[in-house]
Amino acid sequence: MEETLAIRPIAELDNGDTGGRDRARCLAVGGRGKPWFTAAEIIARDRHGTTRRRLSAPQLRADPDPRLAELLAELERPRPAVAGLSFDAPRIMGIVNVTPDSFADGGRYFDTAAAVDHALRLEAEGADILDIGGESTRPGAADIDVEEECRRVLPVIEALRTQARIPLSIDTRHSEVMRRAAAAGARLVNDVSALRHDPSSLATVAQTGAPVVLMHAQGDPATMQDAPRYADVVLDVYDFFRERIAASEAAGIPRNRLILDPGIGFGKTLAHNLALLAALSIFHALGCVVMLGASRKSFIGHLTGAPAADRLPGSLAAALIGAAQGVQILRVHDVAATRQALAVWQA
Ligand code: HH2
């Protein structure tokens, strides 16, 4: 097994910014101050097992291991803007599902006019970016035809290109849809297969020059919840990102255009989802923007018994867990409520 070395920043419980914070005592994750990470867990895994040790921020800076210094530099490097969005505070991606069968809102915005109206409402509520998808990737969903997917999303993107002021993202696993959506005005690609589903996707994204979300999933939507297994879900997802970053860079997509998303609910049990939520900050040392999509997902139902339509409170709690771990983009259905929760968290 190739060795894994990771830094998981740990935030102090008191998250308040008094203005007089000693920056030398904190890790500037992604170049930001808040959340204030004062320590880190250093995790090393090889074929003999996994070791964990805790260092304060000054101890980490003084550590002689050059591999840690390299990870620390990536961790603290300010993230350049993506599709015009800066990352000095968490950004909200509003979900626009142009599908008959999405798990939380399937069918509600299936025609173009309803989808455009919904998207404009999310923009008015404070979304920073709109994610338009024409294929449900909920557990058990079947593949759809690429032409049908284009018929769903392209008219919505074309309309929003002139009517919305914020950038548009295309949620797809198909290179043909990526290419046509980019030509219609989408500025970001969001692929739940991390550019693995379609062999042309890496080259297509390299060619368009668009930033891309690489989301982790184990298996395909049709079968992914059958029996997901990991040696250590957090470290396995971390190693998956290392491999996808290398594949993307080799294909000509630079690291500063990559966004990493652990893929809550995609080939994961409740325990896997909770382990990932608790350790999200580990992904920052890979040097990319980190995104979280937990909105209305099944793990909230498993914890509380709430059906998808009643999972707003749990979704807000998950969004704040993400914000507290320095996640830069939150993908949500309920933009106004998330905006309010973040305003209180940030104050
Ligand atoms: N989740 C869904 C779809 N796309 N993309 C990213 N990057 N991260 C996610 O967590 C994610 C995603 C599933 O949610 P939704 O779009 O609401 O449902 P459906 O796939 O049924 O349309």
Side-chain angles (χ1 to χ4, degrees):
M1 183 196 279
E2 200 200 334
E3 196 187 339
T4 308
L5 182 67
I7 297 178
R8 183 174 70 81
I10 300 168
E12 60 189 46
L13 281 177
D14 168 17
N15 229 351
D17 178 8
T18 58
R21 191 74 52 159
D22 179 359
R23 288 192 169 239
R25 306 217 142 264
C26 299
L27 300 168
V29 170
R32 269 167 62 192
K34 190 174 180 177
W36 299 101
F37 293 98
T38 51
E41 186 180 38
I42 312 304
I43 307 166
R45 174 170 76 168
D46 64 16
R47 62 200 161 79
H48 303 297
T50 303
T51 60
R52 297 166 191 273
R53 64 197 167 110
R54 191 180 165 122
L55 298 179
S56 68
Q59 283 170 332
L60 176 57
R61 286 186 211 295
D63 196 282
D65 185 341
R67 297 168 312 155
L68 278 183
E70 214 174 288
L71 283 173
L72 180 60
E74 284 299 308
L75 179 77
E76 296 199 300
R77 196 166 47 75
R79 302 294 181 250
V82 166
L85 290 181
S86 64
F87 295 108
D88 42 334
R91 300 291 167 204
I92 297 178
M93 173 184 270
I95 301 171
V96 182
N97 283 322
V98 198
T99 57
D101 56 346
S102 287
F103 77 94
D105 53 5
R108 285 185 65 186
Y109 314 112
F110 189 40
D111 75 84
T112 303
V116 171
D117 273 2
H118 180 60
L120 293 174
R121 190 172 335 116
L122 296 185
E123 180 183 25
E125 289 178 4
D128 298 297
I129 185 163
L130 295 167
D131 190 36
I132 295 132
E135 178 191 37
S136 172
T137 46
R138 73 187 190 288
D143 276 10
I144 66 158
D145 176 62
V146 165
E147 283 306 320
E148 169 60 18
E149 192 181 344
C150 283
R151 265 195 298 279
R152 294 178 184 178
V153 294
L154 294 182
V156 177
I157 293 171
E158 278 155 13
L160 290 174
R161 178 188 207 158
T162 52
Q163 294 181 53
R165 286 180 307 273
I166 54 177
L168 309 176
S169 152
I170 175 67
D171 183 354
T172 186
R173 300 181 296 159
H174 302 116
S175 63
E176 175 75 6
V177 182
M178 294 171 192
R179 200 176 51 71
R180 287 162 69 179
R187 293 179 60 191
L188 189 125
V189 171
N190 174 24
D191 184 351
V192 299
S193 82
L195 305 178
R196 292 176 304 157
H197 181 74
D198 178 335
S200 303
S201 294
L202 278 166
T204 300
V205 169
Q207 247 162 30
T208 61
V212 58
V213 180
L214 302 175
M215 197 200 78
H216 174 272
Q218 187 178 85
D220 275 330
T223 56
M224 64 190 180
Q225 288 307 107
D226 288 355
R229 289 176 73 92
Y230 299 87
D232 175 315
V233 66
V234 174
L235 297 183
D236 291 0
V237 172
Y238 182 89
D239 284 342
F240 169 87
F241 285 145
R242 289 202 304 166
E243 185 276 315
R244 295 316 295 159
I245 291 169
S248 302
E249 286 182 328
I253 312 168
R255 192 177 291 235
N256 64 15
R257 289 218 302 267
L258 302 177
I259 297 164
L260 308 177
D261 180 336
I264 297 298
F266 284 80
K268 281 138 193 139
T269 63
L270 175 61
H272 295 145
N273 289 318
L274 296 180
L276 284 166
L277 280 174
L280 289 168
S281 66
I282 197 172
F283 302 118
H284 293 299
L286 293 168
C288 302
V289 166
V290 177
M291 175 162 141
L292 175 68
S295 183
R296 302 191 193 172
K297 289 216 168 140
S298 299
F299 77 95
I300 301 170
H302 290 142
L303 288 170
T304 64
D310 292 337
R311 294 179 188 158
L312 174 59
S315 303
L316 295 177
L320 294 184
I321 290 171
Q325 299 219 28
V327 165
Q328 287 99 344
I329 305 180
L330 299 163
R331 181 181 183 276
V332 305
H333 298 88
D334 304 284
V335 170
T338 307
R339 182 54 74 209
Q340 187 182 92
L342 282 178
V344 172
W345 176 79
Q346 278 168 297

